[in-house]
Amino acid sequence: MSTQRSKKKDKDGVCGLFFLRNILTIFNIIFWFSGATFLAVGVWTMVAKHSYVSLLSNDMYATTTYLFLATGGFIILVSFLGCLGVWKDSRVCLVIYALFLLLIFLLEAISGVLAYMYEGAIRGELSRNLNDTMLQMYKIDPDKTRSIDSLQHDFACCGSRRFEDWQYSEWISTFNTSNIVPDSCCISYRLKCGERDHPSNINSPACIDRLEAYLKRHLIIIGGIGLGLCCLQIFGIVFACCLSMKIKEFRQ
């Protein structure tokens, strides 16, 4: 009778071990794809009109993006560690894997919270700094000049709040130019097209409104993904700990 119970216990242990291995393997596949998602969103945020970030006065937006990229790369590496722990039945790998999952949970939560915090503050920052940056740095700082021209051309806008802002710029007061606004303000771009400020010639929308809407869209996506996917790590931690305990029981 005791032999039968022992056999049943061994069978249940093997079945439980097999089940947890499969569950954790499936989780790692999903986990790997979540890391790829983090990397893709980070790269998209960096590449898509990234030059506009230089017009912001603080590094919060860039920091959130870099944190997303780092988290995505870290997730992909950790997913391989999890698979190694499953394939080798290594309790050490599984424990380290669970600790890394906890760290990733914190990184994802932080990046999501930072994105939502900055999304709420972006209007105030742009109101305080964008106009000064455009008026003081255009044609003075080459990098800022390229960013401002790209901003006005890509978003079909002119000036921070209105196109008349340009008459107070360092560019107008310092350089001998016949332009009233930069050529990047023009509806149809051509050299010296900024000499006429007629509504049929230049874009009238304010750049601050369009840049704010653009940055907010990016930050909402980053925040949603960061906070949404961080919950995934909880399941991984539970599965890894259960598998580690099951391996210990099976080896005794």
Side-chain angles (χ1 to χ4, degrees):
M1 190 72 174
S2 60
T3 304
Q4 289 179 341
R5 277 199 296 266
S6 178
K7 288 181 179 179
K8 186 176 184 301
K9 181 180 178 181
D10 290 343
K11 183 179 178 182
D12 290 343
V14 171
C15 290
L17 193 64
F18 181 75
F19 172 77
L20 285 170
R21 280 175 181 162
N22 287 337
I23 286 292
L24 200 53
T25 299
I26 293 170
F27 171 82
N28 271 305
I29 293 171
I30 298 171
F31 188 45
W32 187 92
F33 278 109
S34 75
T37 300
F38 268 79
L39 275 179
V41 171
V43 170
W44 168 64
T45 305
M46 288 281 291
V47 172
K49 303 178 178 67
H50 183 256
S51 62
Y52 307 148
V53 177
S54 66
L55 300 177
L56 302 176
S57 62
N58 66 52
D59 297 327
M60 181 77 79
Y61 186 86
T63 299
T64 304
T65 303
Y66 292 137
L67 191 58
F68 236 65
L69 287 169
T71 302
F74 191 42
I75 286 173
I76 290 174
L77 291 175
V78 171
S79 66
F80 287 116
L81 177 64
C83 289
L84 180 65
V86 172
W87 296 334
K88 298 290 187 180
D89 282 342
S90 171
R91 295 187 65 227
V92 174
C93 283
L94 290 171
V95 171
I96 295 172
Y97 173 70
L99 292 174
F100 279 154
L101 287 181
L102 180 59
L103 178 59
I104 290 169
F105 171 85
L106 295 174
L107 288 174
E108 290 176 347
I110 289 169
S111 61
V113 169
L114 283 178
Y116 278 122
M117 285 175 59
Y118 192 53
E119 187 267 334
I122 192 70
R123 178 71 187 191
E125 183 191 337
L126 291 176
S127 297
R128 288 190 301 271
N129 301 294
L130 183 61
N131 192 54
D132 289 342
T133 300
M134 294 178 75
L135 298 186
Q136 294 173 13
M137 295 298 174
Y138 190 72
K139 295 299 183 182
I140 307 296
D141 184 312
D143 291 334
K144 292 284 195 299
T145 298
R146 283 191 292 270
S147 297
I148 292 166
D149 281 334
S150 295
L151 173 67
Q152 294 190 138
H153 178 267
D154 294 346
F155 286 117
C157 60
C158 186
S160 174
R161 299 182 180 89
R162 62 190 70 81
F163 72 86
E164 292 92 348
D165 291 341
W166 283 110
Q167 63 185 296
Y168 306 108
S169 67
E170 289 289 326
W171 164 59
I172 293 290
S173 61
T174 303
F175 294 87
N176 184 20
T177 177
S178 57
N179 276 33
I180 300 172
V181 295
D183 291 340
S184 55
C185 283
C186 297
I187 295 172
S188 298
Y189 177 83
R190 64 185 183 281
L191 191 63
K192 292 293 182 180
C193 64
E195 293 178 337
R196 293 177 57 248
D197 61 356
H198 193 273
S200 64
N201 183 52
I202 64 167
N203 295 300
S204 57
C207 289
I208 189 173
D209 296 329
R210 302 213 163 174
L211 182 57
E212 178 193 7
Y214 165 80
L215 292 175
K216 279 189 172 184
R217 282 197 301 271
H218 275 247
L219 290 167
I220 288 170
I221 291 171
I222 290 173
I225 292 174
L227 293 176
L229 291 182
C230 73
C231 300
L232 185 66
Q233 274 50 262
I234 297 173
F235 294 100
I237 293 170
V238 172
F239 294 145
C241 291
C242 288
L243 181 56
S244 177
M245 292 171 61
K246 183 62 71 173
I247 291 170
K248 182 181 179 181
E249 290 175 7
F250 190 72
R251 287 176 177 172
Q252 286 177 345

